Amino acid sequence: MTGLLERRTTILPSNKKRQLEILREIVILQKSGNCEKSVEKLQAELEKLMSERDQFKRSLIVSEIIFEITLGAPFDDLEIVHFQRMKDNRLTLKDIADYYEITKNALDGRLNKMGLYENRRKQP
């Protein structure tokens, strides 16, 4: 989990730097004119980078929320109240599974054993 946090914080600056480079390239190409294909390709790359950055930001927020709820407790020590609070904070099963580096099936099994499986709605 620590490696994941390190990766998250290092990708944001390089991602943002590339976004700015692409914007500069687009401006230069648009000023020179007749480069629509190049501009479209750069815009697609820019959109992908922006989406990637948004996903990383969301995962950082999710990590903070889970840590605040569980106080860093390992997955096997989580109780019903922890899962209920995560649900109240609109965390998905994927969010929780990614944070604890487990599969959604393992999480489903745990929720089923705790009796929460029947009460929860299907989540992506």
Side-chain angles (χ1 to χ4, degrees):
M1 192 162 43
T2 305
L4 184 61
L5 289 176
E6 289 171 8
R7 179 175 175 243
R8 288 179 183 159
T9 56
T10 58
I11 196 156
L12 291 177
S14 62
N15 180 300
K16 187 65 173 180
K17 181 180 175 184
R18 180 62 185 141
Q19 286 182 38
L20 292 172
E21 289 170 359
I22 290 171
L23 287 172
R24 287 185 195 107
E25 290 176 36
I26 289 173
V27 169
I28 291 169
L29 287 171
Q30 287 177 335
K31 283 183 179 179
S32 67
N34 203 13
C35 304
E36 288 181 32
K37 287 187 180 184
S38 298
V39 169
E40 286 175 11
K41 185 177 176 183
L42 287 170
Q43 285 175 333
E45 183 182 352
L46 179 62
E47 287 176 16
K48 181 182 174 196
L49 287 170
M50 290 169 66
S51 175
E52 226 176 71
R53 188 172 170 88
D54 289 345
Q55 288 174 355
F56 279 111
K57 284 182 179 181
R58 175 168 166 54
S59 66
L60 286 173
I61 292 168
V62 165
S63 295
E64 289 174 15
I65 291 170
I66 292 175
F67 187 83
E68 286 177 15
I69 291 169
T70 64
L71 302 174
F75 179 73
D76 291 334
D77 293 346
L78 297 182
E79 297 178 11
I80 292 173
V81 68
H82 295 119
F83 290 109
Q84 187 60 49
R85 288 183 185 152
M86 286 185 238
K87 179 182 175 187
D88 293 346
N89 279 278
R90 298 185 178 163
L91 298 181
T92 64
L93 293 178
K94 183 180 181 332
D95 292 333
I96 300 166
D98 288 348
Y99 179 83
Y100 282 103
E101 299 176 350
I102 59 172
T103 64
K104 280 178 59 178
N105 287 340
L107 181 56
D108 276 339
R110 178 67 188 265
L111 294 174
N112 190 24
K113 284 180 186 176
M114 297 178 97
L116 293 174
Y117 193 85
E118 301 84 18
N119 296 331
R120 72 173 177 83
R121 296 184 311 212
K122 288 261 181 186
Q123 295 183 5

